[in-house]
């Protein structure tokens, strides 16, 4: 089985496994106690903190360990907002942040705060100037990921941090996806990360709060981890997390070159081997091992199941793979195709032969899935004056786009097709289809049921 979902959770690094087992005998006692076992546990914990701080590029007393990366994000945002409450209650985030950031923003807004979402371009990157424009006198905090977890696009953190610093606003960076590859550049103020993203054990996150940043921990606190992460430290897991971070950093430069070559191979060959594919994310500024593409006329969930049967573990941002039947917020913000979405995120040490086998298997797998969906059970087509109407109400992705593609040739150049759909994914996928197929997306309008999407035939 080829595991291609390292962006969700990387396989446990061998160094992490060794460190975890070794520290079980040394790190079980309470590090707050003064007797021998406690002092030994404290030494082990302090050594792990020093190693993690060195990798991050911060002071040892600025870093605390949390129970997860999500907890680090929640605590970091809540503490920074509370610490700067007198300044104001305005929060800035990008439209493609991890759900942990967006959920924190929702809680803040529900409590009376205000939130500005900075848009991204079609490659998934923010414009630093947009962050500068969003800054206000009452801005308490800005948040920006270092790299996107779905499409791998690296963000201009240093430029955004400079704009925030000039305005006196702290910037929190979610570095979960990038920290294993190197320190985050720029004059950021807070940073959160998660060990299982770089090959450490799950259940360990880290939160860095730079000296001078106003911060007030929220919720019940105790004396542990500078009062910023309550509860008994999981020292063996923390040691394993720090040891694996050091190990992957030592391998990062060489492995990044190898993974970039493999992902570039996928980016170049998939569109040649599979018709009607959109490769998404920035072509250059991206993480070494992540490549994402979307396939027209493909049910994402079916495609993932078929690839799993062929021995490949991949993930997807397609709406079809979600119980809510709504597209990924990242793909929606980028304005790219969501149907048939596949994210390949290669783990450290992946075999080149597995990538080659994936490239051999993919075209036939996509073709088989398309064949199954090629003839929908019913396609209701009618005419309203000079407009061809396609009734796709009650049909989920990618059926509305398939039906649109089937009838576009039945109208003259300049003619309109009106697609009726009640699947939220159609709002993203129909405009994306138009751009890929050089047709004009006119817009949407209300309908008796669902929404009507208007497409003009150009060629």
């Amino acid at each position: 089985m080829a595991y291609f979902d390292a962006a969700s959770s990387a396989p446990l690094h061998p160094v992490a496994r060794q460190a975890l087992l070794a520290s079980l005998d040394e790190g079980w006692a309470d590090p707050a106690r003064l007797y021998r076992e406690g002092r030994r546990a404290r030494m082990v914990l302090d050594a792990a903190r020093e190693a993690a701080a060195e990798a991050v590029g911060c002071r040892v007393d600025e870093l605390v360990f949390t129970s997860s990366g999500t907890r680090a994000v929640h605590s970091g945002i809540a503490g920074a907002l509370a610490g700067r409450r007198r300044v104001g209650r305005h929060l800035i985030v990008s439209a493609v942040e991890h759900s942990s950031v967006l959920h924190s923003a929702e809680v803040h807004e529900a409590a009376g705060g205000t939130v500005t979402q900075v848009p991204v371009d079609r490659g998934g990157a923010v414009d630093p100037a947009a962050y500068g424009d969003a800054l206000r006198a009452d801005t308490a905090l800005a948040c920006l990921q270092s790299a996107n977890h779905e499409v791998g696009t690296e963000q201009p953190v240093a430029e955004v941090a400079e704009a925030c610093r000039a305005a006196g606003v702290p910037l929190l960076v979610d570095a979960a996806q990038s920290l294993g590859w190197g320190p985050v550049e720029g004059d950021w103020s807070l940073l959160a990360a998660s060990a299982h993203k770089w090959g450490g054990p799950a259940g360990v996150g880290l939160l860095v709060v730079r000296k001078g940043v106003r911060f007030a921990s929220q919720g019940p606190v105790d004396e542990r981890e500078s009062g910023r992460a309550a509860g008994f430290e999981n020292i063996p897991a923390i040691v394993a997390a720090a040891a694996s971070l050091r190990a992957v950093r030592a391998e990062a430069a060489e492995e990044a070159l190898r993974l970039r070559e493999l992902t570039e191979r996928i980016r170049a060959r998939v569109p040649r081997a599979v018709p009607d594919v959109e490769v998404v994310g920035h072509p250059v500024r991206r993480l070494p091992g992540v490549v994402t593409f979307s396939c027209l006329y493909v049910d994402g969930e079916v495609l993932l199941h078929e690839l799993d049967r062929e021995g490949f573990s991949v993930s997807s941002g397609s709406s079809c793979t979600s119980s809510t039947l709504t597209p990924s917020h990242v793909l929606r913000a980028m304005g790219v195709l969501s149907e048939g979405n596949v994210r390949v995120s290669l783990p450290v040490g992946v075999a080149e032969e597995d990538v080659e086998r994936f490239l051999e298997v993919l075209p036939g797998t996509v073709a088989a899935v398309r064949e199954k969906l090629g003839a929908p059970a019913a396609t209701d087509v009618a005419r309203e004056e000079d407009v061809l109407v396609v009734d796709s109400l009650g049909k989920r992705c990618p059926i509305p786009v398939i039906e649109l593609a089937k009838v576009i040739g039945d109208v003259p150049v300049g003619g309109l097709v009106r697609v009726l759909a009640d699947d939220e994914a159609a709002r993203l996928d129909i405009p994306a289809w138009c751009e890929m197929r050089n047709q004009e997306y006119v817009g949407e309008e209300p309908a008796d049921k669902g929404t009507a999407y208007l497409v003009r035939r150009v060629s």
Side-chain angles (χ1 to χ4, degrees), residues 297-298 339 370 373-376 398-407:
Y297 321 133
V298 169
E339 67 184 49
R370 283 174 171 166
L373 296 171
I399 299 302
V401 179
I402 290 177
E403 296 183 346
L404 168 62
K406 283 185 171 184
V407 303

Side-chain angles (χ1 to χ4, degrees), residues 383 386 388 407-416 456-459:
R383 284 192 181 273
D386 295 329
L388 189 67
V407 303
I408 192 69
D410 295 340
V411 299
V413 173
L416 288 175
R456 188 184 310 278
R457 182 182 175 190
V458 176
S459 59

Side-chain angles (χ1 to χ4, degrees), residues 142-231:
C143 300
L144 179 64
Q145 60 194 196
S146 56
N148 187 260
H149 52 286
E150 286 195 31
V151 300
T153 298
E154 294 178 328
Q155 300 291 357
V157 173
E159 293 91 334
V160 172
E162 183 178 357
C164 290
R165 180 67 64 178
V169 174
L171 175 68
L172 182 148
V173 178
D174 172 13
Q177 288 296 339
S178 73
L179 194 60
W181 297 109
V184 177
E185 301 295 330
D187 198 7
W188 48 266
S189 302
L190 302 96
L191 181 143
S194 186
H196 74 99
K197 300 291 188 178
W198 66 67
V204 179
L206 58 84
L207 171 64
V208 178
V209 182
R210 295 284 200 192
K211 290 296 180 183
V213 176
R214 293 185 178 275
F215 191 90
S217 297
Q218 299 300 287
V221 299
D222 58 26
E223 72 283 359
R224 299 181 187 276
E225 295 301 302
S226 304
R228 292 175 182 167

Side-chain angles (χ1 to χ4, degrees), residues 23-82:
S23 59
L24 288 173
D25 293 330
E26 299 291 331
W28 55 269
D30 188 343
R33 303 305 177 195
L34 299 179
Y35 43 70
R36 180 181 304 172
E37 294 85 356
R39 293 197 306 272
R40 185 182 298 126
R42 168 58 61 181
M43 289 176 60
V44 171
L45 179 59
D46 287 347
R49 196 185 313 277
E50 289 175 6
E54 180 182 3
V56 171
C58 67
R59 291 170 42 150
V60 173
D61 58 354
E62 293 175 333
L63 185 149
V64 300
F65 292 106
T66 65
S67 58
S68 68
T70 294
R71 173 51 58 192
V73 166
H74 290 172
S75 298
I77 292 176
L81 288 172

